[in-house]
Amino acid sequence: MAFGPFLLLATLEGLLQAAVLTLTALGLSLVFGVMRVVNVAHGEFYMLGAVFAWWVASMFGMHPAVGFFVALIVSPIIVGAIAFASERLILKRLNYDPESTIVATIGMLYIIQQTTLLTYGPDARPVPAPFYYRIQLPWFGYSGYNLFVIVAAIVMLVAVWFVLSRTRLGLIMRATQFDRETAQAFGIPIERVYAFVFAAGAMLAAIAAVLIVPIRQAHYLMGLDPLLLSFIVVILGGLGSLRGTVVAALLIGLSDGIISVFFSPTLAKMISTLLVALVLVFKPEGLFGAKAR
Amino acid sequence: MTASRTMRVIALHVAVLAALFLVQFVLPDYHYLAMTRVMVLAIYAMGYNMLFGYTGLLSLGHAMFFAAGLYGAGMTAYYTDLGVPLAFLIGICCGALLSLIIGLVALRTTGVAFMIVTMMFGQVAYLTITYFTDYTRGEEGLTMPASARNFDFLGLHVDLTNAVLRYNLALALLAITLFVILILVRGPMGRVLIAIRENEPRTLMLGFDTFRTKLGALVVSGTISAMAGAAYGLLFAYIGASFASIQYSIEALLFTLLGGAGTVLGPLLGSILMFYMIDIASEYTAAYLLVTGVALVLLVLFFPKGILGTIRERWLPWLP
Amino acid sequence: MSDKTTDKTKEPKSSITRRSTLLGMGAATGAGIISSVSPGFVRYAQAQTSEPIKLGFECHRTGIGASYGRWYERVANAAVKIINDEGGINGRPVQLIVEDDGTDPKRGAEVVEKFATQHKVDAVFGTLFSHVVVGAAPRAGELKMPYLVVSEGTHVSSGSLNRYCFQPGITDVRSQVTSMAPWITKNLGKKVTMIFPDYAFGYDHRDNLPPAIKAQGGQVVEMIAVPPTETSFTRYLPRIPTDTDVLYHIMVGPAVLTFVTELGQFYGSQRPAIFGFIDSVEAVNLATPQLGFLDGTYFWEGMPRYAQKDQSQWDKLYRAAVGVDDNGASKADPKDISTYAHMYGVWETLFTIKQAMQSAGYAGPKDKAKFIEALEAIEKFDEGRDHPQGDKIFNGKNHQAYGHQNISKVNGARMDVVHRTSIEDGMYEVKADYTKMSL
């Protein structure tokens, strides 16, 4: 294939990757930004989103689109509820100590993953796309649904931006992020904000998963990859920064698609992971917001 | 530190080792083989504890050191005819070198950043193994050749297929590790490490070069972990990329947390308990890793000091 | 599951032998020898004429091999039921003991140890994924535990494992590829591009297809290796050269449906000829709308998933016994597609175990050497109920079976066999000889 079309395809794939990644990483970033904790179980909320999407879609036998759009609402709500409960039951009791939280969320990772294995089973199961439309370009074909995912992610992003910057809810969250003690002094119920933010972060991951699951299948081990990628994006973009996350997700998504044109994808992943680790070492303040405690 | 206390500590550790030696005469076959594995994994966890328990640095990438030993030793034994003892040494050196390099970079960070940086380096190590799959055969891994199972060393014939020999080799390595760690943590270095764990700025202010001490701890920790890896590959005749995956880093953390971080015997106890918990759970359910998750959450919520840590706090303050 | 009482009565005895070996440490004494000279062990063996023969099934219940594992388990249960209904092996019932290895090589090795020393099984069988086989095989050899895999990999046949490892139920990739290359170059084209997983199983294809194609005057123009953990494939597809005549694909793991779907979106109807290993769609429903493009493409199948017009009575019988309908789906749940092309290997392996144990007069673990030699003495399998996939030649030196391969064409969401290779098509010069190794 000639280079031009090759690049076009890599770009389309990169945009798709970036779209899903932005939503997932945004959830992680939001949680870190406001609560100052790293949620290692984030990838499992993504996986749960996909699994519940399968569950909902398989209950609505009529048209795939019905099942899909119901799942797009129901699945994030269930995932959010689970996240909310685990925040109340576990993270709150740890008093959001950063290191204990990492250990606890690793535990949650296994609990969620293995419970899914017990109930949903070890198979990869497909969810039908709401519509199936193949766009034939002169050099190759591309799925219309993939483009829909990109658009849907952009819509979601705008919505998140609106909530964060134009609503009272966003103001409260920003205030908590900026200075926990002062916010509390002004009567902001910090704990409720934390629980809400944790649930919202998980819901963003779940939405990303519902969007992608008609392209990839729902599988109990699907959470690890998005987790590592989200870490990379969040570190590169600067935690808690919406714009940074979007830019970094675009960068990682596109470069992943384009670099693997020239190098082996394993090598590409190796190099990008190494670079990000070095960024974190040599520019920790800049990338971790104010300062990691 | 009183002399009687020292005697008590030495007596306790000798007793534990003696018990491990004696128990081999009554262990049923399966548990005999299992305990051999567990002791090697316990060495790995003890190496981990050196950094996490005594220095307070939580690494999420320790599997890379285990893998450095595993591959350093295993690839040498597989591709060269330098012999198993030399391969074992090379494995340990690989781990020492890797931990020195990683330490020089990663120790510039602390806390959460250190966790994530080590996790990423661990991931790079895993990807490196799969990238050079022509030599490592990636996930599939390599099986040690017959020449690495039966060989002559200093006039003695060594047969690594012999379960009795393997058990006692593992025990000997465990004993060496135990005493090295005991000497280190009870010596001046150990006190500085604990001072760093409790309050790094103050230790720095008191005139200690904390970076160098931490680097020392990381190298010791990585080297011990690599020794466990080298022993694992050579004793059980198989090396594979899955040993470098993040799951093995988490296992070391889990063993240490369960037994008690910052106690010398904690990782050993944690390894034994965790191995059997998973082994027993796997007879009832396919989701046996659920045990890992539940254990982590319960520990961090209710027993952050682990079993021996709690015992030390309540009853045995002299426990090292 | 474990036999606690026998464990207990054994303890003091085996500890004596262990102490004596400890004293003479340095002498080459394997764990197997320890137990076989133990008085406790002999008594156990003699007392067990009506005790069951225990077969350990190392199963991929979880991890990336789970869809295969579930079906392998069903087939194993069905075969064991038949064996027991017919009076067991040498008058003793067969007891199946299943342990999950999580499709993980370390756990695989532990499971083999558990089978050998806790469950004290007579043989272990059923492992599929190559990396688990390679991880567990050395322990099986050293514990002197017969280890019969159903993997297709060339690890057994190439001689890289040990005398205790066998693959009597399914042909290895090298032979499969050698036998089908002539048909591919003759009917589909001479310029071949390969897409394969970047790990052991894929290498069996990478290493063996190009020479086989070259021998037919063809050429492999591009080899695209995909990391086994990959979840999206579109970006690999532009590397397929435009002058490719045949696209040869093989993919395993949970992402197989994504792979074939993305291939379809990429090509639509203007595509080269496509030849795949059924592994790319094993356990996947061909009636999935996105798979329409597969119409007219070809697949290798060990055993045809869809009942053929000339279906043999053995296929009929086997299909019914394992609970699979004429479309290769579970009778209980038509959405649950079987791994039909591979799983017959479990069935045939179990009946091979029975055959060899009978000809060896196997009475207990002390006869393991006789059992191994009986397996090695087998020269062929006749088509029949015990070998429903077809007749096979068995090479006792490299412990590998060689059978017929099917090439099937996709026709409107079903597959029909268009060519069946002869056994001779797949023969190659065997260099390995396990019989030279000691028992």
mmCIF file of all heavy atoms in Angstrom, chain B residues 49 52 272:
data_model
loop_
_atom_site.group_PDB
_atom_site.id
_atom_site.type_symbol
_atom_site.label_atom_id
_atom_site.label_comp_id
_atom_site.label_asym_id
_atom_site.label_seq_id
_atom_site.Cartn_x
_atom_site.Cartn_y
_atom_site.Cartn_z
ATOM 1 N N ASN B 49 11.325 -7.159 50.602
ATOM 2 C CA ASN B 49 11.107 -6.582 51.924
ATOM 3 C C ASN B 49 12.241 -5.625 52.323
ATOM 4 O O ASN B 49 12.042 -4.644 53.029
ATOM 5 C CB ASN B 49 10.998 -7.721 52.943
ATOM 6 C CG ASN B 49 10.598 -7.231 54.304
ATOM 7 O OD1 ASN B 49 9.870 -6.247 54.420
ATOM 8 N ND2 ASN B 49 11.069 -7.898 55.337
ATOM 9 N N PHE B 52 11.034 -2.460 50.607
ATOM 10 C CA PHE B 52 9.719 -1.989 51.010
ATOM 11 C C PHE B 52 9.605 -1.912 52.535
ATOM 12 O O PHE B 52 9.223 -0.885 53.102
ATOM 13 C CB PHE B 52 8.647 -2.918 50.427
ATOM 14 C CG PHE B 52 7.262 -2.664 50.960
ATOM 15 C CD1 PHE B 52 6.710 -1.392 50.893
ATOM 16 C CD2 PHE B 52 6.517 -3.687 51.516
ATOM 17 C CE1 PHE B 52 5.442 -1.153 51.383
ATOM 18 C CE2 PHE B 52 5.239 -3.444 52.010
ATOM 19 C CZ PHE B 52 4.715 -2.179 51.941
ATOM 20 N N ILE B 272 4.596 -18.782 52.447
ATOM 21 C CA ILE B 272 4.028 -20.097 52.742
ATOM 22 C C ILE B 272 2.504 -20.013 52.800
ATOM 23 O O ILE B 272 1.794 -20.770 52.140
ATOM 24 C CB ILE B 272 4.580 -20.642 54.082
ATOM 25 C CG1 ILE B 272 6.093 -20.856 53.969
ATOM 26 C CG2 ILE B 272 3.902 -21.951 54.458
ATOM 27 C CD1 ILE B 272 6.762 -21.244 55.273
#
